[in-house]
Each structure stands twice: as C-alpha cells, then as structure tokens.
Amino acid sequence: MGVLNLKFTLFASFLTLAVAVPQSISPYLVKEEILPPRGWVKSGKPALGHTITLRIGLPQPNFHVLESHLYEISDPDHERYGNHLTKEEVEDLVRPHPDSLDAVNEWLYSAGFAAEEINRSPAHDWVLLTIPVSKAEDILDTTYHVWTHTASGDSLIRSTRYSLPRHLHDHVELVQPTTMFGRTKRERSHIFAPFKAEDEDEDEDEDAAIFSTQTDTSLASGSIDPSCNTTITVSCLLQLYNATGYEALNKSNNSIGITGYLEEYANLQDLQSFYSEQRPDALNSSFNFVSIKDGLNSQNLSEAGEEAGLDVQFAFGISFPVPGTFWSTAGRPPFQTEEGYDENSNEPYQDWLDSLLGSKEIPLVISTSYGDDEQTVPKSYALRVCAGFAQLGARGVSLLFSSGDAGVGDGESDPAKQTCFTNDGTNQTRFRPAFPASCPYVTTVGGTENVNPEVAVSSFFSGGGFSDYFVRPAYQEAAVSTYLSKLPRGLYQGLYDQEGRAFPDVAAQGDRFRIWNKGRAGKIGGTSASSPTFAGFVALLNDARLKTNQPPLGFLNPFLYSKGRAGMNDILDGSNPGCGTPGFNVTTGWDPVTGLGTPDFGKLKEIVI
C-alpha cells in the first residue's frame, strides 16, 4: 500500500469513527482463562487507585505476507536477499482490518473513553489505555488480584480470566496484562569469582598476556593463548573466533544495540576501566543511551549492573568502533503492594518493541540477555511478541537472545529435585523451553567454554530444546530432523514436542568473562555472555558487507542454516541436564545445546562478501 493510499485509509477510518453510532454491546464471553501457574498464590487486592497500562492487540490479517517477505529477503539463495522492508512497508503489512479498528473503537467510546485517552501503535495494531485497575475490571468483566511468587516473593497484579463482548472476539487477539505471569530474568550472570579491588594484583600476570587485542607474535599461527581457559577477554574471543587483526570502521550506517531491563545500568566508568585494560584504542569512546518508558541511566558506581556491564563491555569491545546503543526499559513484572506505589506491572518486551517499531533508525544488531519460561507466558502473548520480532527482522535487524542457563528446564539432573511440571493443572513432568529464545524469528545463542577443545559449558547448563508454542520453521528442518533421527527411540517421550521450533541456533563462550563492575574487576558467566559476544561478531560481519556496499545481514537464521554452516565451529562435547534428566547431548552437526556451533569470523566474512 502506498503512502497516499495509507493516508486515505486512515482518514476514512477516522471519518467512520467520527460519525458512527456505537452498536449495542453484545453479551460478554470469556476470551481467555488459565489456571494459576505453579508457585503463584493469591495474596490480596491491588491498592486503591493503582493504574495499569492495558494493551489490546488487534489481529494482523496480513502477517503471513510479512512472514513470506521476511524469509525471502533472509534467504541467501533468493533473488530478493538483503532487500529489507521500510518502516512504512512493515506497518502496512501488520495493519488491522478497518472493521477491527471500528469495532474496538466503538466499544471503547461506549465505555466512556475519550479519543485523547486512547493511544495506538504506529500500525494501529495495539491500543494502549493507562487506566485504574477498577476500570480495567469493568471493561474486561474480570477481577484482578495481587499474586505472589512463593519462591522469590515477587508480586504481580493479574487475573486468571477475562471476557470481551461476543462480537469483539474476532477483532481482538489478546489483552494484557491479564494472564501474563512471566518473571523476566537474566540469563543469568553468575559471579564465578569474587570481584577484587583494582589494587589487588592477584592473577594479574596470568591475565595480562591476553588483554591486548593485537596479535601475540609468540603464539603459533592459529593458536590460542592457553590462559583463555581460565579468563575470557576480548583478545581471547578475537583469537578463538578468528578475527584478530580485523579493523572495523566507525560508519554511521553500521550499529549494534544492547537491551537493558530490571534496572540494570551500564556504567561509563566501568566501561572505561574495561577499555583501558582490554581495548585501549576504544578509551574515551561511549555509546548512545536511549530511555524507554522513563528508564533511568544511573551513573552511580554503586548501582552499576553486572548484566549491563557484561553486555556493553563485550559487545562494544568486540565490535569497536561500530557505534553502540544501550536501551534502559523501565518496568518489571514484580510489584510491591504498598499504597500509592505505581510500578509498571507490564512485561517489558512489548514496551521496547513499541519504541523500536516506531523508530525510523534501528541498530542493525541487537542482543538481549533476558528471558522467561515459555509456559509462564500466555501463548497468545508469546505469538504476538514474536511477530513483533519478525517485523524488526524484515527491516534488516539481527536479533540475538540468550538460550538460558538451566539446560532443558531447571538445570537439575537429580530426579528427586526436578521442578519441571506443566502449568495446565495436570502437573506432568515436562521440559521447560525458554521465551523469547523459542521464537523462530530470532537467533538464539547457547554457551560454551574452554579452548582446544571448545565444549558445551558445564558450570551451568546451556539452555536448549524444543518449543511447545512454535512449530519448527523450514530453515532448520533438515538440521533438526537429522539430530532427532540419531536419538534413541522413545528418549524423553512426552517431555518435549519433536515438531517444535528447536533452539539454540548457535553458541559462543559463556564462562569466566573478565568484566569491570562497581570499580572492580572480576569474572562472570552465563549465556548472557554468549549472546552479546555473538552479536559483536555479527556487527563485524555487517561492517565487512557495508564496506562492499552490500546490505546488512538482517535476520540470520536462513543464512546460518544454509551457507553459513561452513563458517561455524562444530562443538562435539557436552550436554544440558535438567528436569531430572541428563538432557540432550552435543553431537556432530546441529544439537539443542550448542546449535550449529560457534562462529569462525574469517570464514563467515568470506561467505558473506
């Protein structure tokens, strides 16, 4: 649809709203109902006057067309490869039908909302209302309660069912926050060694040899400093992944971004300490900060986030001087029930998506080190958030997510201690895939450790498995089917969906990363290290393409599972225990622990240019 037609359609829609007489509201019918997820108990009513931002998702009738575009422009063998869509083209493809726009607006106007109280996404596929909980209860024919997670003490304001007028069921896909009980968490930033003060020189001699990003002439060609088995630095990663000596350009048409949630702040003093030690040519450089929903940018050293520090230091350290962006998105699911306390209780991925989808310019590579258990996210919501990621991919953005640190579910191989049960009331044992790691439109990164050989990480367990929500996409059918054909007959029968989207797609180092936090150096790990690491190398690959006037890589998976496989280091040892089982094994080719393997930048560069 051209711009002229788009303007006409919007004008016609608004004209209809201006003259329409609201229809009589049909009887309410239940739209969605769930059982309370395991571990959550009802603990009271919301504070008087507490407000929430209600999101009403309208259907995207042409999403299948956008998906078709996405796969064509991401397939290196297709004639349209790299011809990414514009913001306006993507919005046209996800715009709701005018009948849905009219029906929802008539409902809201009849409920007493004024036009200025109703906010909309750029494509008008989301309607946002910031309203008291009591008003949300009225229009959804529901009751909200405070629910408390018994293990952590976190609280949410949620409902286990909501209703809509019968005639709206075809015009509304979902309404949240209602049945969303996800607890967004880091994946997972373990502290493996105490952070030490700058004046403590313990282990400095061991580490100093691998701080420099320059080639060590004492090492044989292709060899890796053995100290990388105990401490991972930028230099180690450049050596291990065959990028030593590559020089990127500081070009405005290249970019990399890191998402920040849960009040994780990227501290500039820590970043400069990191650069001084590991990337001295980056000293005095910084990154672009973007606040979403009033996300803060505290530079108080005592509030520096380990996760944020890890992400920006390694993603930007690897990709320097590619311009970097850090988003701070306010809001988190836990909600404390003090009178007058107005914390945003909405799950934050969609807030971040709203901001990016409404932006003209978006970083070309984005890494996220946070996730939820898939089963705690209502399927309707997971599908819709995943569709938002597809929109970014169609615009040429590479999205990378950590696979999680708990193997196939809880990281527990002792059957007596496993906690992997379904949330459907039957309490059956079931592996617990992660979301957004399970979304087919993102690239999911598992964890490895050691060098010569590099193996699946063992100090925690690389998340991986098969989605219960998303079917396996065509791009990974051959690789995953080959893996499944090698499994013993009946292994883990009933514990996972063999037809589900499989993850991770790739892997990278995830253990013993030396970062700076709160003015100290220390070691940290998790697949939260693996994702920004892989993202840094994707930014370098985009640099190589842009130097030859080619478009950025965009959505990576169709490339990785085809031509890109020749540029991956296959990992051959390890497993990912969990849910009272040994988990899946690493094997030749793709596996649900390390995916297709780790990147060989030199080989991948030759393939992409």
Side-chain angles (χ1 to χ4, degrees), residues 196-394:
K196 58 189 178 185
E198 293 180 67
D199 57 358
E200 295 179 32
D201 57 6
E202 176 185 6
D203 294 332
E204 290 296 331
D205 291 340
E206 173 190 321
D207 293 339
I210 52 174
F211 289 155
S212 174
T213 58
Q214 304 303 312
T215 301
D216 185 344
T217 56
S218 68
L219 296 176
S221 177
S223 65
I224 301 163
D225 195 299
S227 55
C228 296
N229 276 306
T230 58
T231 302
I232 290 295
T233 65
V234 170
S235 176
C236 286
L237 296 169
L238 295 177
Q239 292 175 49
L240 182 61
Y241 297 140
N242 191 19
T244 300
Y246 181 80
E247 295 185 3
L249 299 178
N250 182 1
K251 298 182 67 174
S252 60
N253 60 345
N254 196 9
S255 48
I256 181 171
I258 294 293
T259 62
Y261 300 102
L262 309 183
E263 292 85 54
E264 280 280 336
Y265 306 126
N267 185 270
L268 294 174
Q269 181 179 327
D270 281 337
L271 180 64
Q272 295 308 312
S273 297
F274 177 84
Y275 281 162
S276 177
E277 179 184 81
Q278 298 194 35
R279 190 84 208 216
D281 56 334
L283 261 175
N284 300 318
S285 67
S286 186
F287 52 82
N288 179 40
F289 172 81
V290 178
S291 172
I292 297 176
K293 303 290 285 189
D294 298 322
L296 300 179
N297 183 25
S298 173
Q299 290 302 307
N300 185 329
L301 197 61
S302 66
E303 295 182 342
E306 295 159 359
E307 180 62 61
L310 167 65
D311 290 354
V312 301
Q313 289 168 31
F314 274 89
F316 299 161
I318 291 167
S319 62
F320 180 80
V322 174
T325 294
F326 179 78
W327 294 276
S328 177
T329 302
R332 57 161 72 197
F335 176 78
Q336 303 303 318
T337 59
E338 294 126 17
E339 183 74 24
Y341 182 70
D342 267 344
E343 178 67 75
N344 174 8
S345 62
N346 203 32
E347 189 274 338
Y349 291 129
Q350 191 62 51
D351 288 332
W352 177 80
L353 270 171
D354 285 348
S355 178
L356 261 67
L357 290 172
S359 301
K360 195 76 173 178
E361 301 295 331
I362 305 174
L364 299 179
V365 185
I366 300 171
S367 174
T368 298
S369 295
Y370 302 80
D372 297 306
D373 289 337
E374 187 183 70
Q375 68 171 0
T376 68
V377 182
K379 185 174 182 179
S380 60
Y381 188 78
L383 293 174
R384 190 57 180 263
V385 170
C386 187
F389 296 144
Q391 294 177 54
L392 291 177

Side-chain angles (χ1 to χ4, degrees), residues 470-481:
F470 301 97
V471 298
R472 183 154 64 246
Y475 62 73
Q476 66 172 190
E477 178 61 41
V480 176
S481 294

Side-chain angles (χ1 to χ4, degrees), residues 33 54 87 159 195 328 344 413 538:
E33 183 172 13
L54 206 61
K87 173 179 180 289
S159 172
F195 280 85
S328 177
N344 174 8
S413 58
V538 175

Side-chain angles (χ1 to χ4, degrees), residues 23 32 70 87 91 122 145 172 174 220 233 255 259 309 325 335 345 350 368 398 405 435 548 557 588:
Q23 300 174 355
E32 185 173 13
L70 173 65
K87 173 179 180 289
E91 289 171 359
H145 289 90
V172 173
L174 72 161
T233 65
S255 48
T259 62
T325 294
F335 176 78
S345 62
Q350 191 62 51
T368 298
S398 302
D405 300 344
F435 178 81
T548 58
N557 293 4
T588 302

Side-chain angles (χ1 to χ4, degrees), residues 406 409-419 461 577-581:
D410 59 4
E412 180 56 67
S413 58
D414 183 349
K417 298 179 180 179
Q418 71 96 0
T419 60
F461 302 111
C579 301
T581 76

